[in-house]
Amino acid sequence: MSVNLSKGQAISLQKEDGGSLSAVRMGLGWKAAPRRGLFGKRSKEIDLDASAVLFADKQPVDVVFFRHLVSDDGSVKHTGDNLVGGAGQGGDDEAITVDLQRVPVHIDQIVFTVNSFTGQTFEEVENAFCRLVDETNGQELARYTLTGGGRYTAQIMAKVHRQGKSWQMTAVGEPTNGRTFQDLMPAMVPHL
């Protein structure tokens, strides 16, 4: 059963049987919104990028994004860069998998972001979502939908963080501006 997350809402990543999830996938999907032009409706290609920034005691220690597809310790992996998005069919256009059991103990938070590398605002994006999937069985656990567009080019989507010996996910949903994860670092700090 999937939970539709709202801004700031948190969910535990414990399984119903009391066990902990061992691997999760953060998926990102989108399509370009049609624009009316002289010759009817057309879509412009939009390159959204998913990134995961790994933090230890509120300090960034590693990042996974389209130019660094695997974390230094191998626990977080990006599936690769999608330059145009999908057809809005609900599938993941980019994904980042996290092997929660392999994440080093000093990493206490992983923040997931999305940014428009080509600089278009989210007013030009449709059906954009971020979702968390149990990688062992493919079950969607939670979904956060970008709603309402907006004149911003990036979003701090969600974070997974340690809660004692288990992990929890929090939907952040903070709009901001930037073309790369580096541009978003100041906006991440309040959410750590």
Side-chain angles (χ1 to χ4, degrees), residues 54-168:
L54 290 70
F55 288 89
D57 197 27
K58 298 186 179 184
Q59 297 298 314
V61 294
D62 201 356
V63 64
V64 173
F65 70 118
F66 68 92
R67 289 190 181 144
H68 186 246
L69 295 176
V70 180
S71 63
D72 293 341
D73 59 59
S75 65
V76 182
K77 297 178 181 178
H78 195 296
T79 58
D81 196 12
N82 180 320
L83 302 176
V84 296
Q89 302 303 316
D92 298 336
D93 296 313
E94 289 192 14
I96 297 173
T97 58
V98 181
D99 184 340
L100 295 168
Q101 296 177 330
R102 288 187 55 204
V103 174
V105 295
H106 71 286
I107 303 293
D108 54 8
Q109 298 184 68
I110 302 171
V111 178
F112 297 93
T113 66
V114 58
N115 55 274
S116 173
F117 188 75
T118 45
Q120 292 97 337
T121 68
F122 285 130
E123 292 173 319
E124 300 177 65
V125 180
E126 271 187 359
N127 300 339
F129 65 86
C130 175
R131 69 187 189 128
L132 190 72
V133 176
D134 181 341
E135 191 66 359
T136 61
N137 63 15
Q139 178 183 5
E140 183 175 293
L141 304 170
R143 177 177 288 258
Y144 182 75
T145 303
L146 284 168
T147 56
R151 296 191 59 81
Y152 50 88
T153 60
Q155 181 132 354
I156 312 300
M157 294 296 291
K159 69 177 182 175
V160 292
H161 49 101
R162 292 188 192 269
Q163 187 78 16
K165 293 184 179 192
S166 63
W167 290 88
Q168 186 170 354

Side-chain angles (χ1 to χ4, degrees), residues 6 11 21 23 36 39 42 58 61 82 85-86 100 105 128 142 145 174 185 189-190:
S6 56
I11 63 164
L21 290 173
R36 292 198 181 272
F39 301 108
R42 295 190 321 191
K58 298 186 179 184
V61 294
N82 180 320
L100 295 168
V105 295
T145 303
E174 184 68 34
M185 293 303 286
V189 172

